[in-house]
Amino acid sequence: MKRYKHASNKKPTERVSFYIALSICLMAVGFAAWSAYSTLSGTPQSSDNTYFSSLSTENAAVAQEMTGVTVAETFPPTEAVTQAPTQPESDEQPRIIVSETMPEEKREAANDDVSTPLKAVLKISENLVYPVKSRQVSKPYSEDGVYSKTLHDYRAHTGCDFTAEEGENIYAMCAGTVKDISVSELYGVILEVDCGDFTVYYCGLDTDFLVEREQEISTGDTIGTVGHIPCESDDGAHVHIEIRVGDQLVDPLSVIGSDD
């Protein structure tokens, strides 16, 4: 009983000190909680551009769709052919594509040295005749890039195109042996004639063949009619002629006689 009375008789200054100390403790706890909250609130949110820039392209694209934040997307380079221009560009570097009329397995080296175009032309001693009556050239031979209206790209034109009506007769440019008759996805029906030192390829014939394999033909014989050339369909009806001496291509116009 005496202890209780003694405790209740504490001085007012002692009670004030106790409450001050308690207040200081509560303030310290509150300051610590506020500091912790401020630190946590500094984490990047979904609207922070720097956060999205650290994501992969795929995830960033998803985040972009969800939040509306603009994120630059990068794509790996591909080898796919891009949309070609509707007209040839004068400052564009031509893209050369080798002619596909002659299958790779048939390209055998010649026995003699014909490593240059001039030597190849000199191997052809006779004068060839025009394959069609018009004698008109719609597209000349060119080893440089020529714009293709059908394929919308640049490629070497390793033959010579002669204008003719569809169904018109095609004549043998020289005597020889029909070595092969084949069909190409690009050039249509191809008639291969072995003329000894050189080979003539008549491309774009109709399927109604007038000759057969191993048949001997003479200069001026009718060997077929003008058909269709898929890779040159926008150039109008014509026959595509290629001449090779071994692996060396020859401009057909350089071996056609001027009097024929």
Side-chain angles (χ1 to χ4, degrees):
M1 189 68 176
K2 291 180 180 181
R3 290 180 181 178
Y4 174 79
K5 289 182 178 181
H6 177 73
S8 61
N9 291 332
K10 286 184 179 180
K11 295 181 181 181
T13 56
E14 293 178 352
R15 287 196 295 271
V16 171
S17 299
F18 170 79
Y19 288 117
I20 291 175
L22 179 61
S23 299
I24 292 174
C25 292
L26 293 175
M27 290 177 62
V29 172
F31 179 80
W34 178 82
S35 298
Y37 174 80
S38 299
T39 302
L40 292 176
S41 62
T43 303
Q45 301 299 317
S46 60
S47 61
D48 188 355
N49 288 333
T50 60
Y51 175 70
F52 283 104
S53 64
S54 66
L55 296 175
S56 65
T57 303
E58 181 179 356
N59 291 337
V62 174
Q64 174 183 347
E65 182 178 353
M66 295 177 61
T67 63
V69 177
T70 301
V71 180
E73 297 185 22
T74 57
F75 299 91
T78 63
E79 298 181 357
V81 178
T82 56
Q83 184 68 29
T86 56
Q87 304 181 27
E89 298 285 344
S90 58
D91 57 346
E92 183 176 347
Q93 185 67 25
R95 180 165 62 89
I96 306 301
I97 300 178
V98 178
S99 171
E100 300 181 25
T101 56
M102 187 177 184
E104 186 65 30
E105 60 270 14
K106 294 184 180 179
R107 298 184 183 182
E108 301 175 355
N111 294 328
D112 299 328
D113 180 16
V114 287
S115 57
T116 66
L118 177 58
K119 290 181 179 180
V121 171
L122 294 177
K123 288 285 292 184
I124 304 176
S125 57
E126 59 183 300
N127 291 332
L128 277 63
V129 300
Y130 284 92
V132 292
K133 287 184 178 180
S134 71
R135 301 187 178 187
Q136 295 181 358
V137 176
S138 58
K139 183 181 290 187
Y141 173 93
S142 176
E143 294 181 1
D144 297 327
V146 178
Y147 187 75
S148 170
K149 294 187 294 185
T150 305
L151 302 177
H152 304 292
D153 63 6
Y154 288 86
R155 55 181 60 215
H157 190 249
T158 53
C160 187
D161 294 348
F162 295 92
T163 302
E165 296 295 331
E166 190 170 348
E168 184 179 331
N169 287 340
I170 299 175
Y171 305 105
M173 300 177 68
C174 60
T177 304
V178 178
K179 200 66 176 178
D180 193 16
I181 302 175
S182 59
V183 179
S184 166
E185 291 183 358
L186 292 179
Y187 289 89
V189 177
I190 300 175
L191 180 67
E192 178 183 345
V193 178
D194 183 359
C195 302
D197 290 333
F198 61 97
T199 304
V200 180
Y201 297 85
Y202 303 82
C203 307
L205 279 69
D206 193 7
T207 55
D208 186 13
F209 307 123
L210 301 181
V211 294
E212 57 186 17
R213 290 182 178 87
E214 304 303 327
Q215 179 178 335
E216 299 289 334
I217 59 175
S218 300
T219 302
D221 285 352
T222 301
I223 57 176
T225 57
V226 177
H228 180 64
I229 301 179
C231 70
E232 297 179 347
S233 59
D234 286 351
D235 295 332
H238 66 277
V239 59
H240 177 96
I241 302 296
E242 287 195 13
I243 299 176
R244 296 177 186 266
V245 178
D247 282 343
Q248 188 65 244
L249 286 157
V250 174
D251 181 357
L253 290 181
S254 67
V255 294
I256 291 179
S258 57
D259 295 334
D260 293 328

